[in-house]
Amino acid sequence: MTTATTGPAAVKGAVGTAHTRVEGRDKVTGAARYAGEIPFADLAHGWLALSTVARGRVRSLDTDAVLGMPGVLAVLHHGNAPRVDTDYVGMLGIPPDPTAAVFQDDRVPHVGWPVALVVAETPEQAREAAEALVVTYDEEPHDTVLTADHPGAYPADGHMPAETEKGDLAASLAASAVVVDEEYTTPEEHHSMMEPHAATALWDGGRLEVIDSNQGATWVQTELAKMFSLDESAVRVRSEHIGGGFGSKGLRAHQVSAVMAATVLQRPVRVVMTRRQMFSLAGHRSPTVQRVRLGADADGRLRALEHRSLNQTSTVYEFVEPGAGVARVMYDADAHRTANHVVRLDVPSPTFMRAPGEAPGSFAIESALDELAERCGVDPIELRLRNEPEAGPVSGLPFSSRNLAACFREGARRFGWAERDPRPGIRREGRWLLGTGTAAASFGAGAGPSTALLTAEADGTFTVRISAADLGTGARTALTLVAADALEVTPERVRVRIGDSDFGPAMIAGGSMGTRSWAWAITEAARELRERLALGPAVPPEGITVRSDTTEALGALAQKERHSYGAQFAEVAVDTATGEVRVRRMLGIFAAGRIVNPLTARNQLVGGMIWGISMALHEEAVRDRATGGLYAPDLAGYHVATHADVGDVDADWVDDHDPDDPVGIKGVGEIGIVGAAAAVANAVRHATGVRHRSLPIRPDRVLSARADGSGTDA
Ligand code: MOS
């Protein structure tokens, strides 16, 4: 029996030191199993059949024909599926997206709506039968087109107020020396993470077990419990390894249909989405139409700011992509107005997607500021520094810390901004026009209540149990480093177990809050455990376990504006003959709190920036107004940046410990994408003299903008 005091051998310094992923070997050797590949005895396989019409009712399903096909066990649909409850508010304080509550009625609200689950002995048999299932519909006319002046638009709150207003906008605009008034649009975008959504459900001794790929095991556990009217203790959700989430992996049709089938058949049932199914079942980022009006004095100081953003949502669920939210934090003006409106269309429900609101919103406002800087003849960095607010522009609250200026100073130095000639369209290198651009970034730095279990083992090691999720971000490794420092031991003596709702409630991997929220709980538990160990008892064979709960401690975070910040820089080359845009160089400098693991944090930031390149130049899901469905909903038709599209991209950070966090963390999950597309678009403007206000900046748009001779707009 060892006494696991941390005294004389106490070590610190794991946090802040690069550490490879603790599960890296398991992943590269295939030992790490994902939700869709964990073996189960007696496993049956479900295959979702999706609607082919955009609006209407299911008139009939010819189930008899497919029930006679090889291996087919059942066909679940609105006529025979178990009823579920959707009249509740979930763990995140929002009602469930009824897209997950499958087979409750005959309504079809969009193309790709689940109308049946065919269950069979093998996935191949289930797929064959699902594709053979004949469904007839009573079709109704549909509307799937978002337009700036859509009559169905209305203000919608989402997780923030729909509208804010102070001052007299018209008067301040009229009194401004320089005015920018432009419309910016972004298209429908999809997450399409590497690992498709997958769940296996089974009943085990009266308890529902779900092996899933999600962003929060207790999140999905509590949602399933509510939906199926079960006690929370009767549901266990596990999600050990995850191949990407980006906001899409909450409660969805695959878990709910798997639970229904496992209940009906009393067998383990697995449902996996196909890549194409993900384009209608996994959520997406809504297209946006945004109008930005800026009024400023000749020196670029803002007098008036208006940012209005319109997004689409489905007829079954109100999801707001709050594009106008970023202006509430970043820039102040005497007259300040923001508005997030939505239109209900016959499309799938949009959802959270990396930096929801900030990603498209920053494209609009950071492009508009670049336009303002040019019209004022002020350097775009200087313009932003002149508009640094003293307090939250809408909240009036002080900032906990705001290191945007430090990001711009360090970024400008390393990028070589000082040598920049602001004149557009004058740098040539063979057939390429060259330009550089910059943009600011911000993202909220919050935390959610979490519990952690921490055990001092008899062999001198420590085990952390927390219902955290590692989406591939490196969260498990970051928490190992945090726990090691909190316990004053080396990381080798710490093992971190995550992704199991039996470990107790914890924040989801979302809103850039995961690592911070979990680290807080682990730090609290470690403090208590060290106190217990300091009293000197020998550790018994079963170990000594303490449990923490940060619900009360998080009260310390109230009453401040809390954000991460960043400065994005891009250099582009534009081929004037083909319209191709290449991002040669990109640099992001961030103030994102204390960086726990530089290796994986850089990976998060660079990943976000590359997604920004992808957003600026490639990504666009195009809906066919005739059918209401997408053209080519797959990774052949939906273009994302690949290695060949990405030049020299680097991310780094300035010192920015959050003063109110026990570890100093803010969060790095989302800020990398914020402002990234604007930096690229601003660089394209600088290269070509053409302003692109609609994403993506496709070759045809580059060419037609030049061909029309306007020289300034696209
Ligand atoms: Mo994120 S869009 O909060 O997973």
Side-chain angles (χ1 to χ4, degrees):
M1 202 180 290
T2 321
T3 307
T5 54
T6 55
V11 281
K12 274 221 173 209
V15 170
T17 307
H19 200 295
T20 55
R21 285 159 206 266
V22 293
E23 78 286 9
R25 173 177 286 269
D26 284 350
K27 282 189 170 166
V28 297
T29 58
R33 302 260 199 187
Y34 289 80
E37 54 187 20
I38 296 168
F40 281 93
D42 202 30
L43 183 63
H45 299 267
W47 204 276
L48 287 162
L50 308 185
S51 75
T52 53
V53 304
R55 187 182 169 94
R57 291 183 183 275
V58 176
R59 187 193 304 157
S60 66
L61 300 105
D62 188 6
T63 55
D64 287 349
V66 297
L67 282 168
M69 291 177 70
V72 174
L73 299 165
V75 182
L76 293 181
H77 52 83
H78 70 274
N80 64 2
R83 301 294 100 182
V84 297
D85 186 8
T86 54
D87 188 18
Y88 67 85
V89 171
M91 185 181 119
L92 298 183
I94 51 177
D97 176 354
T99 303
V102 292
F103 316 141
Q104 297 301 294
D105 58 50
D106 61 356
R107 269 238 145 256
V108 174
H110 62 76
V111 169
W113 175 259
V115 292
L117 182 81
V118 178
V119 191
E121 296 289 347
T122 71
E124 292 82 1
Q125 290 167 335
R127 178 174 204 163
E128 180 76 12
E131 287 174 358
L133 179 66
V134 174
V135 183
T136 54
Y137 303 89
D138 291 319
E139 268 194 87
E140 297 165 16
H142 60 260
D143 176 9
T144 58
V145 184
L146 181 69
T147 54
D149 56 354
H150 199 289
Y154 65 95
D157 288 344
H159 59 281
M160 53 172 70
E163 300 186 336
T164 64
E165 180 162 12
K166 69 174 180 185
D168 184 335
L169 190 75
S172 292
L173 282 170
S176 295
V178 184
V179 171
V180 171
D181 179 355
E182 300 291 352
E183 184 178 282
Y184 303 85
T185 67
T186 62
E188 179 175 325
E189 297 163 354
H190 288 257
H191 322 59
S192 275
M193 68 297 302
M194 292 267 285
E195 182 207 13
H197 299 61
T200 304
L202 59 142
W203 285 94
D204 182 12
R207 205 171 181 221
L208 177 64
E209 289 248 8
V210 179
I211 313 298
D212 184 34
S213 178
N214 63 52
Q215 292 180 226
T218 45
W219 181 29
V220 171
Q221 173 222 14
T222 53
E223 298 265 340
L224 285 173
K226 288 197 162 94
M227 200 168 263
F228 287 91
S229 304
L230 298 165
D231 198 87
E232 278 178 19
S233 63
V235 183
R236 182 187 189 186
V237 174
R238 280 181 287 164
S239 186
E240 192 178 355
H241 296 289
I242 302 143
F246 306 120
S248 164
K249 282 186 175 162
L251 189 72
R252 302 211 156 269
H254 65 298
Q255 299 116 331
V256 175
S257 60
V259 171
M260 286 177 172
T263 305
V264 169
L265 292 171
Q266 288 298 307
R267 267 179 80 165
V269 176
R270 172 170 297 162
V271 177
V272 180
M273 288 186 201
T274 65
R275 179 64 61 190
R276 289 176 75 93
Q277 288 177 341
M278 288 166 68
F279 277 82
S280 67
L281 296 179
H284 62 275
R285 193 196 304 284
S286 167
T288 66
V289 181
Q290 302 179 61
R291 185 180 181 194
V292 180
R293 288 201 282 177
L294 303 175
D297 292 335
D299 66 357
R301 276 175 230 273
L302 289 167
R303 281 172 171 268
L305 181 157
E306 183 187 41
H307 190 169
R308 310 180 68 85
S309 181
L310 177 66
N311 76 272
Q312 74 188 26
T313 192
S314 68
T315 58
V316 298
Y317 186 64
E318 182 184 276
F319 182 86
V320 184
E321 177 81 27
V326 68
R328 298 177 188 176
V329 175
M330 287 300 279
Y331 306 106
D332 205 355
D334 293 341
H336 192 286
R337 188 193 282 178
T338 65
N340 292 308
H341 289 199
V342 304
V343 178
R344 287 185 181 269
L345 298 174
D346 303 309
V347 297
S349 306
T351 194
F352 308 106
M353 179 161 149
R354 204 175 203 172
E358 280 85 354
S362 65
F363 166 66
I365 190 93
E366 294 296 323
S367 293
L369 279 163
D370 201 66
E371 303 204 38
L372 182 67
E374 203 179 319
R375 288 180 209 179
C376 292
V378 175
D379 177 80
I381 295 177
E382 177 58 28
L383 182 102
R384 287 170 175 83
L385 296 179
R386 283 180 192 173
N387 283 293
E388 270 289 273
E390 302 275 310
V394 170
S395 69
L397 295 173
F399 293 100
S400 66
S401 59
R402 184 174 168 114
N403 283 319
L404 178 64
C407 294
F408 271 117
R409 271 193 288 275
E410 176 65 6
R413 188 184 66 76
R414 285 174 51 173
F415 192 77
W417 190 260
E419 291 86 60
R420 182 182 191 255
D421 181 335
R423 289 174 297 163
I426 56 164
R427 286 151 299 275
R428 234 175 220 292
E429 186 188 283
R431 66 180 205 268
W432 301 95
L433 283 170
L434 308 182
T436 53
T438 189
S442 76
F443 196 83
S450 296
T451 61
L453 295 162
L454 185 41
T455 302
E457 308 286 359
D459 66 0
T461 64
F462 297 86
T463 304
V464 177
R465 291 177 180 82
I466 186 163
S467 182
D470 189 327
L471 311 182
T473 54
R476 188 188 273 101
T477 310
L479 297 182
T480 304
L481 305 184
V482 167
D485 273 12
L487 290 161
E488 302 189 348
V489 300
T490 59
E492 290 68 34
R493 284 172 67 189
V494 178
R495 82 183 61 76
V496 175
R497 296 187 48 203
I498 62 173
D500 186 338
S501 64
D502 273 1
F503 297 158
M507 181 58 189
I508 66 164
S512 299
M513 290 187 263
T515 294
R516 185 212 194 141
S517 305
W518 308 319
W520 200 319
I522 290 169
T523 304
E524 288 216 342
R527 187 182 306 125
E528 192 186 330
L529 187 59
R530 286 174 56 211
E531 281 168 12
R532 293 269 294 275
L533 294 173
L535 297 174
V539 178
E542 72 275 17
I544 296 174
T545 297
V546 301
R547 178 180 184 273
S548 65
D549 182 341
T550 60
T551 307
E552 270 183 40
L554 293 186
L557 292 182
Q559 299 312 312
K560 295 245 178 89
E561 282 276 354
R562 296 175 187 281
H563 304 271
S564 295
Y565 296 92
Q568 305 268 15
F569 295 84
E571 178 183 324
V572 303
V574 182
D575 185 328
T576 53
T578 65
E580 182 185 11
V581 178
R582 307 288 307 182
V583 176
R584 290 189 167 182
R585 192 160 66 100
M586 204 160 176
L587 173 67
I589 300 291
F590 299 91
R594 188 161 174 219
I595 299 303
V596 177
N597 183 358
L599 198 63
T600 50
R602 179 172 279 113
N603 198 64
Q604 284 294 290
L605 296 167
V606 164
M609 292 165 67
I610 289 171
W611 202 339
I613 295 174
S614 200
M615 177 180 169
L617 303 180
H618 306 295
E619 295 191 36
E620 178 176 33
V622 182
R623 225 161 252 289
D624 174 1
R625 69 168 69 210
T627 66
L630 293 174
Y631 291 108
D634 53 45
L635 289 180
Y638 184 84
H639 295 173
V640 297
T642 62
H643 281 84
D645 298 304
V646 179
D648 172 10
V649 177
D650 197 12
D652 210 338
W653 42 84
V654 297
D655 200 37
D656 184 56
H657 288 209
D658 188 300
D660 301 310
D661 183 274
V663 190
I665 300 171
K666 284 184 177 173
V668 295
E670 281 153 290
I671 190 161
I673 194 174
V674 184
V680 172
N682 293 341
V684 170
R685 161 69 182 179
H686 186 231
T688 63
V690 178
R691 175 66 61 182
H692 288 266
R693 301 190 184 92
S694 290
L695 296 185
I697 305 173
R698 298 184 314 243
D700 63 301
R701 285 179 165 158
V702 174
L703 288 176
S704 58
R706 294 193 64 78
D708 79 11
S710 67
T712 55
D713 285 339

